[in-house]
Amino acid sequence: MMPIKYRKDGINMSDLLTERTPPVIAAEINTIKQQTSKILLASAVEVGKRLKEAKALLPYGEWGKWLEESVSYSQRTADRMMQIFDEYGAKLLVSSEDQEMSDSSPVTNLTYTQALILLGLPEDQRDAFIAENDAGSMSKQQLQQAVYVRSQELAGKEDLQKVCAEQKDKISKLSDERDRAKKEATDNLQAVWAEQGNVLKLQRKLDVLENENAAAKHIAEIEYESKLLKLNLSIARQMPALS
């Protein structure tokens, strides 16, 4: 809106061009209120910036006293101003050469009240919400309702993501348990196979020993029979001499 121009006699120049009716006057008042609220937002950002600076310089425990005595702020008000700076300062506090870039941000169309309401949304969701809903043109009640609805949607989405994450974690744990069971079964089977191999080896050794014992017994029998045969031959040779 162009600045209101007045003649030297105090008459509003726009009055000469527009019929002065209650709706026209109300529109002008609301426009001025909106412009004032935007100025208030920019001022709040500047104040918040300086409050953070002062807080960093003050000794521990002196913050509340300094607020009350020096700027007549409660800690709640100061916290809100600093939050406004933290959330919106980077997009509103720009140098003159960056003014074109700043004007492209949806935040530049907000009033102070709108900016406060929009703190109810995560920062990464805020710009998209402002652009999608033309938040700068919404009334306080409309914006509060829209922010509430979006917050509920985000909460539901977060709950769903949480459930999905929990299910994913359960699936991962079950998969790990399955893999461990498979490994244990494989290890047990390999152990059984190894034990069977050991049994076969022992059986082979036993068979060898039994075979060796049988051979040794057979040799002993042959040796016994040989000795017995020799003895009989010796007796047979001696029999004629006796006769």
Side-chain angles (χ1 to χ4, degrees):
M1 178 180 176
M2 295 295 292
I4 299 175
K5 296 182 179 180
Y6 295 90
R7 297 194 321 190
K8 292 183 178 179
D9 56 8
I11 297 177
N12 184 349
M13 294 296 291
S14 64
D15 291 346
L16 302 178
L17 304 175
T18 305
E19 182 181 0
R20 307 302 293 163
T21 63
V24 170
I25 295 171
E28 290 178 354
I29 291 173
N30 288 328
T31 300
I32 293 171
K33 285 170 60 181
Q34 187 178 38
Q35 290 176 337
T36 302
S37 191
K38 288 182 179 180
I39 294 172
L40 180 59
L41 174 58
S43 299
V45 170
E46 293 284 1
V47 171
K49 176 183 178 181
R50 286 158 177 79
L51 286 172
K52 288 179 71 73
E53 182 181 7
K55 187 175 183 180
L57 295 173
L58 288 168
Y60 180 79
E62 295 294 320
W63 174 237
K65 180 181 178 182
W66 181 86
L67 285 174
E68 182 179 354
E69 294 179 353
S70 301
V71 293
S72 300
Y73 280 162
S74 65
Q75 291 200 35
R76 180 179 179 182
T77 298
D79 289 342
R80 185 168 57 191
M81 293 286 191
M82 291 188 291
Q83 185 181 12
I84 288 288
F85 168 70
D86 289 336
E87 298 289 340
Y88 300 108
K91 297 176 181 178
L92 292 177
L93 294 180
V94 292
S95 57
S96 58
E97 59 266 23
D98 295 328
Q99 189 64 41
E100 183 177 350
M101 179 185 70
S102 175
D103 291 340
S104 65
S105 173
V107 173
T108 59
N109 296 320
L110 298 178
T111 66
Y112 176 75
T113 300
Q114 290 169 338
L116 283 179
I117 295 172
L118 286 164
L119 291 177
L121 294 176
E123 184 178 2
D124 59 353
Q125 299 284 331
R126 201 174 296 143
D127 280 358
F129 176 86
I130 294 170
E132 291 170 4
N133 295 275
D134 191 17
S137 65
M138 299 174 75
S139 68
K140 177 180 177 180
Q141 291 76 15
Q142 290 173 332
L143 185 57
Q144 286 175 329
Q145 180 64 24
V147 168
Y148 173 78
V149 171
R150 178 60 62 87
S151 297
Q152 293 301 305
E153 292 174 353
L154 292 175
K157 184 178 179 181
E158 288 178 359
D159 290 341
L160 181 59
Q161 289 175 338
K162 183 179 180 180
V163 170
C164 290
E166 290 175 351
Q167 292 296 329
K168 185 177 180 180
D169 184 58
K170 288 180 181 178
I171 291 172
S172 177
K173 289 180 179 179
L174 289 173
S175 297
D176 290 342
E177 290 179 5
R178 178 201 60 194
D179 293 341
R180 284 195 298 269
K182 284 183 176 180
K183 185 177 184 304
E184 289 176 2
T186 301
D187 291 344
N188 290 336
L189 184 58
Q190 290 175 345
V192 170
W193 289 343
E195 191 62 28
Q196 288 179 340
N198 292 333
V199 170
L200 290 174
K201 289 179 181 178
L202 290 173
Q203 184 62 50
R204 292 193 190 99
K205 289 182 179 179
L206 181 60
D207 291 342
V208 169
L209 289 174
E210 289 179 348
N211 290 334
E212 289 178 351
N213 288 338
K217 182 179 180 182
H218 184 61
I219 291 171
E221 290 175 350
I222 292 175
E223 290 178 348
Y224 172 76
E225 291 177 355
S226 177
K227 289 180 179 180
L228 182 61
L229 181 59
K230 290 179 179 179
L231 178 62
N232 291 334
L233 288 174
S234 177
I235 293 173
R237 288 174 182 164
Q238 293 177 4
M239 287 297 294
L242 292 173
S243 60

